Amino acid sequence: MNLDDDLIAIKGIGKKKYKLLNNLNLYKVKDLLTNFPRTYVDRSKVNNINEIENESISTIKLLIYDVSETKNAYKKSTLRLKCKDTNGYNVAIIFFNASFLLKKFSIGKEYYFYGKIVKTHYEAKMFHPEFSDSMYNDKKFLRIEPIYSLTAGITNKEMINIYENIIDNVLFEENLFSPYIIQNKLCDINYAFKNINLPTSKEALKKARYRFIYEEFFNLFLSLSLIKNKVKSSGGIVLKDLPMVDFYKNLKFTLTKSQEKVWNQIKIDLTSNNQMNRLLQGDVGSGKTIVAMMAMYLTYKNNMQSTLMVPTSVLANQHFRTFSDVLKNFNIKIILLTGNTKNKKQIYKDIELGKYDIIIGTHAILEEGVKFKNLALVITDEQHRFGVKQRNILSTKEKNVNVLVMSATPIPRTLSLIIYGDVDISVIDQLPSGRKQIKTHYVKKNKINDMYEFIRSKVEEKRQIYFICPLIEESEALDIKSASELYKELSERIYTKFNVKLLHGKMKAKEKETIMKDFSEGKINILISTTVIEVGINVPNASIMVINDANRFGLSQLHQLRGRVGRGEYQSYCFMTSNKMGDTSKKRIQTMIDTNDGFEIAERDLLLRGPGEILGLKQHGLPELKIGELAKHSQIFEIVKMDVNNLVQMYNQGEKASVEFIIKFIENRLSNNINI
Ligand SMILES: Nc1ncnc2c1ncn2[C@@H]1O[C@H](COP(=O)(O)OP(=O)(O)OP(=O)(O)O)[C@@H](O)[C@H]1O
């Protein structure tokens, strides 16, 4: 049997089952074996009742001495097995409405049962336990059973049967660097696949899991190291450290200490011989834009070009307006380049001729036609919205160009290492002075009208308001108040005298731009929007953010949304409403109420999310983590980091085994369409 064999060729898998497996994204033998169990049920250890704590789940061995079935007035039956364990402890096994089980049990015989034990002072009880059909079957019962993700029409038992048919008939080729297998005492790949799917013991499962966690981190970190190797080259474009006095004089505020510190780090990069590869992190509203502008201004003074690339055209327009306004006293030529820009051919020509100093835009900047005269600096805002590939395109347009990545999502240190490789990191860890904590509240249904009244009073004080909704069209099934429905209600019923406007992603670009411009100029009182305004929007006069159906948003998204207020001198508020609340959404909302600190929120977010979901690795074109959890397995991650760094170093020195391994690794990744 081959790993690439289609599952349809496997004995016992007919057309119907094959289709069901396809629903689970399983097509080939390889897919099946890398589809790890969701969890396990460990029935392997038979315990003595005396040793088992009340309400814990365990396997016990019992002798049945009486079987009875009773029916109540509604014909509901209760099957009761009276049993004893080897120490004479009385246990009642109870099944409701399960007459069909009657024939499975015989008095005087022993059986294994697995379930939750409820102890009273004279007996113990188990309701609806799993049980061994017969003592001959104990090998299958007394084991660690994998539990797979299923789809309707296929049972866990059937899944296990399929795995049992396959597991001994395939051979995986070792894919880790062999010296590291020995050094880290990792188990062999075939042992690992066998034991992660059908563990022979707890110890074996632990070994298998350890190997796969190591392997996942290894693949991810090596991919990133290779990406970074491509970006980093020996020398960068060197700028002269020209005086910035005129820029400072022109500023309407003084930089915070933190902005000064970060600017110095960036300036050193730009004016040194090394190519800048820096991540600029700062919480929402911490003032990253002005630092970016300083870097671009220094580039302009050196007679060179720079670009600022952002994820949405709404944001590109805003930056264009800010830059044009703040830099209006200088003779700097700035151009906006988005998908919607007219006259592109002429603009391309002028960029190539060096007629523009600063190019601000969306990924339209990446289009092939865009060529620069002398690009020295590339800044990308909200980098995590762009894929790794896109990130590299800009830096390859001009060799050795300096790269600055701005992220408003504070990323825990371990994660930034993973996502960006070991780039240099600057952090703005201070908000401009005079900012007040955003008061955050959860608003219950019966308090919505009070909230509306509060908002009315703030609009009368000339403040502006955002309402955010998750969807555009009304979806009855989900019971979500859509943006357009809310717009109707607020504009026609609640705030008839105010200027209320609606903004959503499906509008034409021009329409969106006009609305955002009017809002930033204070012409609109209340803006109802979907999450198009999530990132970067800066209207300091806006002081209230209402997030409807807050349960539908992730924690970092909620923090981003809230970050649209509290950007000026006014006391700001964030109100969250929600119809349905699960445990996780409750925790998220509580976290928002507890803290305004983006770094703390990011850490908590990491703990609330499961493996594989972290910051959407897949969205970055990177291999996903199936079982490795960065927060939990940081020790393994540290080992992997050292191993990968050593491997890359040996590779750079031309060491034969490492070169061969890395070439094979790259070929493998490419043939599987994984980014490197
Ligand atoms: N040192 C400062 N003193 C006073 N105001 C400042 C200072 N630095 C920046 N600002 C103002 O603070 C607001 C937020 O700045 P900016 O838009 O750069 O934030 P940001 O870090 O990009 O935030 P986000 O990631 O949320 O977009 C802007 O109105 C900006 O003019």
Side-chain angles (χ1 to χ4, degrees):
M1 198 181 292
N2 269 318
L3 287 171
D4 277 320
D5 281 355
D6 217 302
L7 287 173
I8 191 90
I10 306 296
K11 216 178 107 199
I13 301 182
K15 261 193 186 153
K16 205 171 136 210
K17 213 174 263 176
Y18 180 66
K19 275 225 163 104
L20 293 173
L21 291 169
N22 292 170
N23 290 346
L24 294 164
N25 257 332
L26 308 173
Y27 298 88
K28 294 182 172 180
V29 170
K30 183 170 65 184
D31 301 335
L32 195 81
L33 293 179
T34 51
N35 170 52
F36 297 156
R38 186 165 55 73
T39 179
Y40 302 84
V41 169
D42 183 1
R43 293 189 303 250
S44 61
K45 189 163 181 274
V46 184
N47 287 304
N48 257 331
I49 299 202
N50 304 339
E51 297 156 7
I52 306 171
E53 269 184 49
N54 188 21
E55 305 244 322
S56 62
I57 295 171
S58 182
T59 306
I60 47 177
K61 187 180 178 185
L62 300 173
L63 175 88
I64 299 181
Y65 66 86
D66 185 50
V67 177
S68 65
E69 193 184 33
T70 50
K71 286 204 166 110
N72 69 7
Y74 306 101
K75 295 206 171 141
K76 305 258 185 226
S77 69
T78 303
L79 174 62
R80 182 180 284 266
L81 314 175
K82 288 190 183 166
C83 314
K84 272 193 195 316
D85 82 341
T86 40
N87 298 323
Y89 204 106
N90 277 321
V91 184
I93 303 287
I94 295 157
F95 296 96
F96 299 113
N97 297 318
S99 303
F100 61 96
L101 290 180
L102 204 57
K103 59 178 183 294
K104 299 242 178 203
F105 300 105
S106 314
I107 293 173
K109 280 193 173 169
E110 283 185 314
Y111 296 81
Y112 291 113
F113 295 93
Y114 174 83
K116 192 202 266 186
I117 300 208
V118 184
K119 284 180 168 179
T120 60
H121 40 271
Y122 62 94
E123 68 167 5
K125 282 181 189 164
M126 251 189 189
F127 293 91
H128 286 263
E130 289 179 49
F131 57 91
S132 61
D133 280 300
S134 85
M135 294 306 280
Y136 302 113
N137 213 5
D138 59 356
K139 257 204 180 135
K140 281 207 165 164
F141 189 77
L142 297 180
R143 69 173 178 186
I144 303 173
E145 193 168 275
I147 307 291
Y148 291 97
S149 299
L150 299 172
T151 181
I154 197 155
T155 63
N156 199 52
K157 231 180 190 164
E158 285 173 305
M159 282 296 263
I160 294 176
N161 281 341
I162 298 173
Y163 280 88
E164 282 172 340
N165 277 340
I166 292 177
I167 204 88
D168 288 325
N169 297 319
V170 280
L171 266 187
F172 281 88
E173 203 185 320
E174 189 51 74
N175 58 5
L176 277 172
F177 190 51
S178 46
Y180 291 163
I181 299 181
I182 302 162
Q183 189 180 309
N184 294 301
K185 299 195 179 81
L186 301 175
C187 66
D188 138 78
I189 190 167
N190 286 295
Y191 178 93
F193 270 112
K194 193 171 163 104
N195 281 288
I196 198 131
N197 284 303
L198 301 166
T200 47
S201 70
K202 242 179 167 169
E203 217 21 61
L205 174 60
K206 207 168 149 194
K207 272 191 190 159
R209 282 182 58 85
Y210 189 91
R211 184 210 145 98
F212 284 122
I213 295 168
Y214 179 97
E215 186 177 322
E216 278 187 351
F217 286 166
F218 184 90
N219 289 344
L220 180 64
F221 203 65
L222 183 56
S223 297
L224 284 160
S225 302
L226 297 176
I227 290 166
K228 219 195 112 211
N229 258 8
K230 263 195 253 167
V231 177
K232 210 157 195 174
S233 64
S234 49
I237 297 166
V238 186
L239 301 185
K240 280 199 215 98
D241 185 2
L242 300 171
M244 301 273 289
V245 189
D246 46 352
F247 185 90
Y248 277 98
K249 256 196 196 154
N250 184 57
L251 262 187
K252 292 204 177 89
F253 46 75
T254 357
L255 293 188
T256 60
K257 276 210 180 100
S258 200
Q259 283 169 318
E260 281 289 2
K261 176 192 74 190
V262 163
W263 163 238
N264 266 321
Q265 292 166 341
I266 292 172
K267 195 170 69 179
I268 290 170
D269 282 357
L270 290 174
T271 54
S272 76
N273 198 21
N274 289 333
Q275 179 192 13
M276 176 162 78
N277 187 18
R278 186 172 285 279
L279 171 67
L280 170 56
Q281 284 190 356
D283 206 347
V284 285
S286 60
K288 294 179 290 291
T289 316
I290 204 74
V291 177
M293 197 188 288
M294 292 171 83
M296 295 174 99
Y297 181 76
L298 184 67
T299 312
Y300 150 76
K301 287 201 77 163
N302 276 270
N303 290 320
M304 299 196 87
Q305 293 171 304
S306 59
T307 65
L308 171 61
M309 187 167 84
V310 298
T312 65
S313 69
V314 170
L315 195 51
N317 271 275
Q318 174 188 285
H319 279 313
F320 179 68
R321 282 198 303 273
T322 310
F323 273 63
S324 307
D325 181 45
V326 178
L327 300 174
K328 64 177 177 286
N329 297 328
F330 306 103
N331 187 26
I332 305 181
K333 298 280 180 302
I334 309 173
I335 184 77
L336 176 69
L337 197 56
T338 67
N340 201 31
T341 304
K342 303 239 155 56
N343 225 348
K344 272 195 185 142
K345 268 197 183 141
Q346 186 59 43
I347 293 176
Y348 289 176
K349 233 188 215 162
D350 291 344
I351 293 176
E352 199 169 356
L353 287 172
K355 287 192 184 169
Y356 292 110
D357 307 301
I358 289 181
I359 297 99
I360 296 177
T362 55
H363 50 263
I365 299 180
L366 299 175
E367 269 162 36
E368 236 170 75
V370 183
K371 297 201 177 67
F372 300 90
K373 184 178 177 214
N374 50 15
L375 184 68
L377 170 66
V378 166
I379 302 184
T380 46
D381 191 1
E382 283 302 324
Q383 180 80 65
H384 65 280
R385 295 287 179 109
F386 300 108
V388 175
K389 263 190 194 141
Q390 284 174 320
R391 187 191 306 174
N392 285 342
I393 293 176
L394 259 184
S395 41
T396 49
K397 278 206 181 223
E398 196 76 26
K399 248 184 108 190
N400 303 353
V401 73
N402 294 299
V403 179
L404 180 68
V405 173
M406 298 202 288
S407 171
T409 315
I411 303 166
R413 172 99 198 144
T414 12
L415 273 191
S416 49
L417 270 176
I418 294 210
I419 292 180
Y420 301 106
D422 51 352
V423 291
D424 302 309
I425 299 177
S426 292
V427 182
I428 304 184
D429 50 12
Q430 179 184 25
L431 293 180
S433 63
R435 295 276 174 82
K436 298 185 178 76
Q437 284 268 316
I438 302 165
K439 293 189 176 166
T440 304
H441 300 280
Y442 175 68
V443 182
K444 288 195 184 135
K445 238 184 185 161
N446 59 356
K447 294 280 181 209
I448 300 266
N449 284 334
D450 296 352
M451 176 181 83
Y452 285 162
E453 278 319 298
F454 181 76
I455 288 173
R456 184 188 304 284
S457 70
K458 290 292 163 193
V459 176
E460 278 160 3
E461 288 170 19
K462 298 275 173 306
R463 298 290 76 73
Q464 290 167 280
I465 320 292
Y466 295 105
F467 274 85
I468 304 293
C469 297
L471 288 182
I472 302 165
E473 306 297 336
E474 189 192 3
S475 155
E476 272 177 16
L478 287 170
D479 195 20
I480 286 171
K481 192 167 259 183
S482 68
S484 39
E485 193 203 351
L486 184 72
Y487 168 67
K488 245 181 138 193
E489 187 183 338
L490 293 188
S491 60
E492 292 174 10
R493 211 170 65 75
I494 317 258
Y495 301 122
T496 47
K497 295 209 175 87
F498 298 152
N499 189 6
V500 182
K501 280 273 163 6
L502 174 66
L503 181 78
H504 59 72
K506 285 191 183 159
M507 282 177 161
K508 289 213 172 82
K510 198 90 217 134
E511 224 177 323
K512 279 192 274 192
E513 280 153 28
T514 315
I515 291 180
M516 266 333 288
K517 188 163 175 283
D518 287 351
F519 189 71
S520 67
E521 288 170 1
K523 292 178 189 158
I524 295 170
N525 306 111
I526 296 177
L527 184 65
I528 294 152
S529 172
T530 55
T531 48
V532 264
I533 66 128
E534 178 193 341
V535 288
I537 295 301
N538 183 47
V539 181
N541 189 48
S543 70
I544 297 182
M545 162 65 63
V546 182
I547 308 174
N548 278 333
D549 297 300
N551 57 316
R552 312 264 308 161
F553 298 103
L555 197 44
S556 64
Q557 208 180 2
L558 287 172
H559 180 64
Q560 274 297 318
L561 286 167
R562 174 172 61 181
R564 298 313 105 209
V565 296
R567 301 174 78 87
E569 62 198 281
Y570 307 108
Q571 175 60 56
S572 293
Y573 302 86
C574 173
F575 299 126
M576 292 177 284
T577 74
S578 160
N579 282 337
K580 287 194 191 106
M581 286 262 259
D583 277 352
T584 319
S585 12
K586 263 189 208 150
K587 278 189 196 145
R588 280 192 216 124
I589 288 177
Q590 195 53 47
T591 304
M592 289 287 289
I593 295 170
D594 290 347
T595 179
N596 267 231
D597 180 345
F599 279 85
E600 194 181 329
I601 287 178
E603 296 284 355
R604 290 215 208 170
D605 198 19
L606 187 59
L607 292 177
L608 282 182
R609 294 197 224 192
E613 248 192 79
I614 296 151
L615 290 180
L617 289 169
K618 203 169 179 185
Q619 192 187 319
H620 291 74
L622 291 166
E624 269 187 300
L625 297 176
K626 281 185 186 160
I627 59 171
E629 291 183 58
L630 293 162
K632 219 161 136 188
H633 306 129
S634 56
Q635 269 179 345
I636 308 181
F637 181 67
E638 289 304 317
I639 296 170
V640 168
K641 222 168 68 190
M642 239 162 44
D643 286 354
V644 170
N645 285 339
N646 286 337
L647 179 69
V648 171
Q649 212 176 349
M650 288 192 288
Y651 168 81
N652 284 336
Q653 289 162 359
E655 195 268 334
K656 195 166 166 263
S658 337
V659 173
E660 276 169 9
F661 178 82
I662 287 192
I663 289 175
K664 204 165 161 204
F665 179 86
I666 294 174
E667 279 169 4
N668 245 329
R669 301 262 120 183
L670 289 177
S671 66
N672 284 314
N673 248 338
I674 301 173
N675 215 339
I676 42 141

